[in-house]
Structures are given as C-alpha cells and as structure tokens.
C-alpha cells in the first residue's frame, strides 16, 4: 500500500474529529449546555468567544512549537488539550469549569 494514502486517511480523521467536534461543535455545545444546565446563552457564548479569541491570539507560537517538538509531539499536545477540553465541556457542572475546559480547548486549537 502506498504510504501517501495512510497520510491522507490520518489527515481525514484528524480533520473530521478536530473540526467537526471542536470548531463546528461549539454551536451544539452552546445549545446543549443551555438546555442541560439552564445557563444563560450570553454566558456560554462569552466563554466560547474567549476560547476562539485565544485560538487566534496564540496561533502565532504554534510554528515555533512545531519546530521545537517535532510533528508527532506537536500533534499529541494538540490532541491532549483539545480532547481534554471537550471532556471538560461535557462534564462541566459549574460555570467556572466551562471556562477552564474551553481554555484547554483553546490551547489544543492554538497548536493547529
């Protein structure tokens, strides 16, 4: 099997789960957190806005980290932050926990 197809499949899986659950999933998290906890939409939206703003602000250091850590460690760091953040969003029971979880997601996404 041509190794390039393995790279394509891995990149497809990363894009599907990374973008689908992380970037595009934020709107679903907003609705479900409001429905489940009754937290105000404005509160949840402000946490999500802070997360996405952090992505933009921290993204410039990602290239330096990639060169310093190497591609595998860089991807593992991103996956750990992003996955941990998603787990935190799903299990948040207090408003401050949402901010911490979205902060972890921001670290993961800034590594993209």
């Amino acid at each position: 099997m041509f190794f390039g197809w393995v790279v394509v499949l891995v990149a497809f899986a990363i894009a599907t789960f990374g973008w689908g659950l992380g970037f595009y999933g934020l709107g679903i998290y907003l609705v479900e957190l409001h429905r489940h906890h009754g937290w105000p939409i404005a509160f949840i939206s402000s946490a999500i806005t802070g997360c996405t703003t952090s992505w933009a602000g921290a993204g410039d250091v990602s290239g330096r980290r990639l060169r310093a850590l190497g591609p595998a460690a860089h991807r593992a760091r991103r996956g750990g932050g992003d996955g941990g953040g998603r787990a935190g969003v799903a299990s948040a029971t207090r408003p401050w926990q949402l901010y911490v979880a979205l902060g972890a997601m921001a670290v993961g996404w800034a590594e993209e």
Side-chain angles (χ1 to χ4, degrees):
M1 183 165 137
F2 177 61
F3 182 71
W5 287 115
V6 174
V7 174
V8 169
L9 290 173
V10 170
F12 177 77
I14 289 170
T16 299
F17 291 104
W19 298 337
L21 296 175
F23 185 74
Y24 297 110
L26 290 173
I28 295 168
Y29 303 156
L30 173 89
V31 172
E32 286 302 310
L33 287 167
H34 174 67
R35 185 186 63 78
H36 184 70
H37 296 293
W39 296 338
I41 295 280
F43 165 76
I44 302 166
S45 292
S46 69
I48 290 172
T49 300
C51 178
T52 54
T53 303
S54 297
W55 295 343
D60 64 334
V61 298
S62 184
R64 289 184 291 231
R65 287 190 184 135
L66 175 62
R67 284 188 296 277
L69 298 173
H74 183 72
R75 177 57 58 188
R77 181 182 168 119
R78 182 204 184 275
D82 202 24
R86 286 186 201 151
V89 168
S91 63
T93 57
R94 305 234 186 265
W96 67 268
Q97 293 171 337
L98 179 63
Y99 276 93
V100 171
L102 287 171
M105 281 182 66
V107 168
W109 268 92
E111 297 295 320
E112 183 61 34

